[in-house]
Amino acid sequence: MYNDIIKLLNLEQFNLKIFKAETIKKDNTLFCHITLERDVSTCPFCGGGQLSIKDYRKKKIKHSISTNNPCYIIYNARRYKCKYCNNCFYEKNPFSLKYDKESVYTIYTVLRQLLNHTNTFTDVAMNLNLSVTTVIKIFDKYVECRRLALPSILCFDEFYRSKKSKEKYAFVMADFMNNKIVDIFNSRHKDKLDKYFCDIPEKERNSVEYIIMDMWDTYKDLASIRFKNAKIAVDSFHVIKHLNDAMISIRIKIMQKYNKKTSSLEANDMYYYMLKKFHYFFIKDFNNIYSGKIKVNKIKTKWDKYEIRKYLLSIDEDLKYAYDLKERYREFNLTASYDNCDEELKSLIEEFRNSHLEEFREFGKLLKRWEKYIKNSFIRINKKRLSNGPMEGINSRIKTILKSANGIRRFYRLRNRIMYSINKNIPIKSFNK
C-alpha cells in the first residue's frame, strides 16, 4: 500500500512494514510522516510479554533523497511500557542511528559521494541539501583511516600542504604494487620522521625489501637506518627531471646570446625565436612530438619535426653536444637492465663529470653520489620496473583534493580525506545502531 513512499525515500532494502504514512510538502520541503506496524512482543529488560503503548514520540530525521528539495522523515516512534518491570523503551528505529539526526541512508550517501576525490565537502553538502558542517561531522565521525601494514615495496614522497600550515610538506608512503597509500605523516623533517619510523615495529620495517624515493638525502639516510633489509632505488623520472633542468639551463644560456630584447618574439633574432618557440624539443621525447607540418611563423613556412630539430642543433655546437649526451642518457634509462647497466652508467657519469658545461658537471656529480641507487632503479618485480610512478598518480589526486577544497586545515581530516578517497576500501567506523 505504501510502496511508492518507500521507493521515494529509497528505503526498499530496509523491508519496512508501514502502518501509516503521509507526505506533505511545505515551503519546498518534503515531510514524510511514518508510523510502523507494531512488532515488539517481549520486554528487553525482563522478557515479559505484557506490553502496553505508553505514548508516541515524533523524531525528525534529515533524509537526503533529492538535489532539489530538503526532505525529512517524521518518525512516529512508539514507546512501550512493561507491566511486569514497569520499564519503558522505544521500538527499534530503522531510519537513523542512535543520537544521529540524519538518516542511515543520508550518512551512506555522504560517505559514498566523498569516495570521489573531486567532490569537496561543500559539493556534497549542496548535492544533498545539508550544511557543510553536517557533512564534515558525518565524515569525521565515521571515517578513521589507519596505517596499512608495510608492503614489501614502499614508495616515499611528499606533497605541499599550504603556506599557512606550520609544516609546509607532508610525507606519504605508498604501496608500489597496489597503488594504495600506506600512510601520511604531517612532516618530512628528519627528526620527526625518524621518530615516526621508530614507532613502527622493527619486525615490520625489516620486512620491507625495496624503497623507492627521489634524490633527497633525508629519505636516503632514514631508509638506510630504519629499514635495514631494504634496497633503496632512486626514481628514474626524478633523475631525468634533473637532466632536463640542466638541459633547459644550457638552452636558455645559449638562447640569450641572440636576444634583441624586442617586444615581439617574431621580431627577435631567428635563433632566439627558434630556441624560444621550440623549447620543448630539448626535453620532450622526440617520438612524441607531432609528426606533421609545424608552423614557423617568423619565416612564414612549415617544417616537420626533423627539419626543426636539425635547425635547432645547428645553432650552436654546445647545444648539439648537450642534446646528444642528454639523449644518450635517456636511451640508456629506457633500455638498460639491472644486470647490464654498470659499464654504461659509469661511462655516462664520467662523461657528465668531465663535461665542459657546468650544468652537466653538476649533474654528473649528482649521478656519482646516487650511482648505487640509480642502478637499483633498474630492478624489475613481476616485470614492473621500480619507480615512483604510482606515487605520481597519487600526488596528482592529492593536489586535486587540496585545490578543490581550497585547503583543509586540520591534518587528521586531510589525512582521512586523502586516504579514504584514494584507497577506496577504508572500513566505516562504529556504524552500529
Side-chain angles (χ1 to χ4, degrees), residues 195-293:
K195 185 178 183 305
Y196 167 75
F197 286 142
C198 286
D199 289 338
I200 299 174
E202 184 177 5
K203 183 179 179 181
E204 190 176 355
R205 283 185 274 119
N206 288 342
S207 68
V208 177
E209 298 175 20
Y210 301 98
I211 295 177
I212 310 159
M213 61 181 68
D214 57 24
M215 292 171 157
W216 203 45
D217 288 320
T218 293
Y219 292 162
K220 175 175 68 69
D221 295 344
L222 291 177
S224 300
I225 296 169
R226 300 302 175 195
F227 297 83
K228 296 179 180 178
N229 295 332
K231 284 187 175 182
I232 298 171
V234 167
D235 178 36
S236 63
F237 295 104
H238 197 76
V239 180
I240 294 295
K241 181 182 182 301
H242 280 279
L243 177 57
N244 284 340
D245 289 344
M247 186 71 239
I248 289 169
S249 296
I250 293 167
R251 176 188 62 82
I252 291 174
K253 186 184 291 186
I254 293 169
M255 182 180 73
Q256 290 301 331
K257 294 179 183 179
Y258 307 102
N259 188 0
K260 292 181 178 180
K261 298 182 179 179
T262 62
S263 57
S264 168
L265 177 61
E266 291 182 19
N268 214 313
D269 185 271
M270 180 64 177
Y271 287 168
Y272 182 91
Y273 170 85
M274 293 296 289
L275 290 172
K276 183 83 170 180
K277 184 173 178 62
F278 299 106
H279 59 90
Y280 57 91
F281 270 68
F282 293 94
I283 57 173
K284 193 172 181 179
D285 184 345
F286 188 71
N287 293 325
N288 293 333
I289 295 175
Y290 176 61
S291 297
K293 292 290 184 178

Side-chain angles (χ1 to χ4, degrees), residues 382-428:
N382 296 334
K383 299 182 179 180
K384 187 178 179 182
R385 183 179 172 184
L386 297 182
S387 79
N388 254 357
M391 187 64 84
E392 295 306 315
I394 287 170
N395 272 344
S396 175
R397 282 175 280 174
I398 289 175
K399 288 176 183 177
T400 300
I401 291 171
L402 290 169
K403 184 178 179 180
S404 301
N406 196 24
I408 299 177
R409 291 179 61 189
R410 298 184 185 276
F411 177 75
Y412 77 88
R413 184 176 296 143
L414 173 64
R415 176 181 173 278
N416 284 338
R417 180 74 187 94
I418 292 170
M419 292 184 68
Y420 179 75
S421 60
I422 292 177
N423 287 0
K424 303 295 185 187
N425 61 346
I426 302 297
I428 303 303

Side-chain angles (χ1 to χ4, degrees), residues 4-12 30 32 34 63 65 71-73 95 105:
D4 290 342
I5 292 178
I6 291 174
K7 288 180 180 179
L8 172 67
L9 299 178
N10 292 321
L11 296 174
E12 294 94 334
L30 184 65
C32 297
I34 296 178
H63 190 68
I65 57 168
C71 175
Y72 290 91
I73 292 175
F95 302 108
Y105 177 83

Side-chain angles (χ1 to χ4, degrees), residues 344-358:
E344 179 66 3
L345 179 57
K346 290 182 185 300
S347 173
L348 282 164
I349 290 173
E350 288 307 305
E351 182 82 36
F352 279 107
R353 290 178 73 192
N354 296 320
S355 173
H356 65 286
L357 299 175
E358 181 184 355

Side-chain angles (χ1 to χ4, degrees), residues 24 26 51-52 229 305 314 316 353 369 416:
I24 299 172
K26 184 179 180 182
L51 304 176
S52 61
N229 295 332
K305 64 181 182 180
S314 70
D316 190 282
R353 290 178 73 192
R369 194 164 79 247
N416 284 338

